[in-house]
Amino acid sequence: GEPIETPFSSFEEKPLGSASVAQVHKATLKSGKVVAVKVMRPYIEPKLKGDVQNIIKFAKAFEDLLPLDYYLVFTEIAERMEDELDFRQEAKAMDKINDLMQRKPDGTKRFRPWLHTPRSVEGMVTKRVLVMDFLDGVTLTQIGEDAKESGQTNEALAKLIGEKLIKALTKGFGQMVLQGGLFHGDPHPGNIMVLKNGDIALLDFGQTKQLTPRLQSQLAELCVLLEEDDRNFSSIADVVAAMGVKLTPEAKRDALSACAVWMFDSLSEMPGNYTPDEFSENSPVRSIASFPQDLVMVGRAAVLIRGICAFFDIPWSVSRAWAPLARWKLHGVPMEEESEAQRRVMAWVDKVKLLGALLAGVLGRIWAGFLSLFFLRRRAEA
């Protein structure tokens, strides 16, 4: 309730970003620390809750026509909304995930987190206002809009960012799902940021999910089974069924193991001649009668990573990337992680690649301009 001038030396009125629930402003504390200030929109709670209830009714009415049980998906979102409309809960979850990202499974500190996340400023969080670290970069949404507006693309740079995105998101979500059990539940392009140093950050922790230890262990077991070259699809189906996934009466049991491949492994062919296209008649998703709500948000993260892989045409398997952490979770098998020195070298190599891609893009534009000028002069002389 105090005036803006009391805690802040400056406060930018134009928001950095706006969404349905809140908008975020850049500000500077009296201490000199640059922060991001998330402010809830007035009178948003009843409107948002009403909109979601209408969507739930729509999903229920048309559930037979949709490829997935979206009624369960939106019911899960509605339950998470109570936390999203209380920034105190968001700050707690965000700080827990920030702590998790800083640590290896054995508890030792990481040289650098795979995913950067903001942290709340102590004493500056209320139900409707959240003051947190300011992360300097651009979101994937902004990158896409800028590329569309300029009409120019740098394929080498895009490929490099794509590879870094996939690795960072896979490693980061693996930590959240298998190591901590608390994870970001709304990973979309507006919440994923490429920082100025090329690292990847995750924003907006309004929707998070805490998994049960049992489900964590089941997901870990699934990743280990999917990593095997000679897969036991019967065992995979057993794990998926134990998670609570139920099939339609006419569905084949292969649909359970195919669903696991669809979610966690974009490299492999599916059993039972199923296809990964969820809108196809041969999609395993069409054989699912009900999907447990606890898996809804895990699925969102896995499908997002799979979509980025497809967009950049990069082969990648979430389950195989998570398998070492899964074996640690299940059996305490030590993980072979990069040392601090290796991570430093990797960071340096990434910067060299980034500079190379940027330079190639600049030189390409200069050369294209030179050729255009050359041909224009030749035409004029002719």
Side-chain angles (χ1 to χ4, degrees):
E2 59 186 354
I4 286 179
E5 294 80 9
T6 303
F8 303 106
S9 59
S10 68
F11 191 99
E12 296 185 6
E13 289 189 19
K14 183 179 179 181
L16 295 168
S18 299
S20 57
V21 174
Q23 57 189 42
V24 179
H25 298 260
K26 184 178 179 181
T28 305
L29 299 175
K30 289 287 180 66
S31 64
K33 179 182 174 68
V34 180
V35 294
V37 183
K38 186 174 182 179
V39 184
M40 190 180 297
R41 293 181 182 276
Y43 315 114
I44 192 63
E45 292 183 52
K47 181 180 184 303
L48 197 60
K49 289 178 179 178
D51 289 344
V52 172
Q53 288 304 316
N54 287 334
I55 294 172
I56 290 173
K57 290 176 183 177
F58 176 86
K60 185 67 176 176
F62 292 94
E63 61 182 341
D64 293 337
L65 302 176
L66 297 171
L68 189 63
D69 191 347
Y70 284 103
Y71 173 76
L72 280 177
V73 172
F74 289 117
T75 300
E76 170 69 19
I77 290 171
E79 290 181 2
R80 300 268 67 79
M81 191 174 294
E82 290 299 325
D83 288 345
E84 189 172 6
L85 294 172
D86 187 343
F87 291 165
R88 295 168 299 188
Q89 297 302 317
E90 177 175 347
K92 286 179 184 177
M94 181 173 68
D95 291 349
K96 282 183 181 179
I97 292 174
N98 183 275
D99 289 338
L100 176 67
M101 292 292 101
Q102 309 297 326
R103 300 287 172 184
K104 297 179 182 179
D106 62 7
T108 57
K109 186 173 175 59
R110 290 187 180 278
F111 159 64
R112 170 180 298 185
W114 290 108
L115 275 177
H116 294 265
T117 61
R119 192 172 188 86
S120 67
V121 176
E122 189 175 355
M124 300 196 74
V125 180
T126 68
K127 183 177 180 179
R128 302 180 65 87
V129 178
L130 168 56
V131 182
M132 61 192 137
D133 296 336
F134 172 76
L135 299 183
D136 199 2
V138 288
T139 65
L140 296 190
T141 299
Q142 290 170 318
I143 291 173
E145 289 173 353
D146 290 346
K148 187 176 180 181
E149 199 172 295
S150 66
Q152 296 178 337
T153 57
N154 182 333
E155 290 188 11
L157 181 60
K159 191 86 168 179
L160 184 61
I161 291 175
E163 289 172 352
K164 187 142 190 175
L165 268 172
I166 292 164
K167 187 171 185 179
L169 289 170
T170 305
K171 294 277 192 179
F173 272 94
Q175 270 190 271
M176 285 184 266
V177 170
L178 298 178
Q179 184 180 331
L182 176 68
F183 69 100
H184 191 294
D186 191 23
H188 62 72
N191 287 341
I192 301 168
M193 176 178 277
V194 180
L195 300 176
K196 283 194 171 180
N197 68 353
D199 285 354
I200 309 301
L202 203 54
L203 310 175
D204 191 354
F205 290 78
Q207 290 186 36
T208 55
K209 181 68 179 176
Q210 179 67 59
L211 300 177
T212 64
R214 182 171 182 267
L215 183 55
Q216 278 186 280
S217 295
Q218 288 170 330
L219 285 166
E221 188 178 354
L222 194 61
C223 290
V224 172
L225 288 169
L226 286 170
E227 187 198 24
E228 295 175 358
D229 292 328
D230 186 15
R231 289 173 170 169
N232 186 332
F233 286 115
S234 178
S235 295
I236 292 171
D238 288 342
V239 175
V240 175
M243 289 178 176
V245 177
K246 298 188 185 302
L247 297 176
T248 57
E250 67 279 4
K252 298 177 182 178
R253 198 165 185 273
D254 280 344
L256 291 171
S257 49
C259 242
V261 175
W262 172 73
M263 285 179 63
F264 297 108
D265 188 1
S266 60
L267 294 180
S268 306
E269 290 186 9
M270 294 182 174
N273 296 318
Y274 286 103
T275 174
D277 179 6
E278 55 261 41
F279 289 98
S280 165
E281 288 296 326
N282 292 327
S283 169
V285 176
R286 289 186 174 271
S287 298
I288 303 299
S290 64
F291 205 75
Q293 293 186 9
D294 282 354
L295 275 180
V296 169
M297 289 187 177
V298 178
R300 287 178 72 182
V303 170
L304 168 84
I305 296 169
R306 195 190 70 199
I308 294 174
C309 293
F311 181 81
F312 289 103
D313 195 24
I314 297 172
W316 190 254
S317 167
V318 172
S319 59
R320 293 178 191 184
W322 285 5
L325 188 56
R327 284 192 292 273
W328 166 82
K329 178 72 178 175
L330 291 171
H331 311 298
V333 178
M335 293 179 60
E336 294 182 7
E337 291 204 72
E338 297 92 344
S339 65
E340 182 173 327
Q342 288 173 317
R343 288 293 301 275
R344 288 183 186 275
V345 171
M346 286 168 58
W348 182 81
V349 170
D350 283 345
K351 286 180 180 178
V352 171
K353 286 182 178 178
L354 183 62
L355 287 171
L358 288 169
L359 182 60
V362 171
L363 291 176
R365 287 195 291 273
I366 291 173
W367 180 244
F370 170 77
L371 288 178
S372 298
L373 184 61
F374 174 77
F375 286 115
L376 283 172
R377 284 183 176 176
R378 289 291 298 270
R379 284 180 184 175
E381 290 172 358

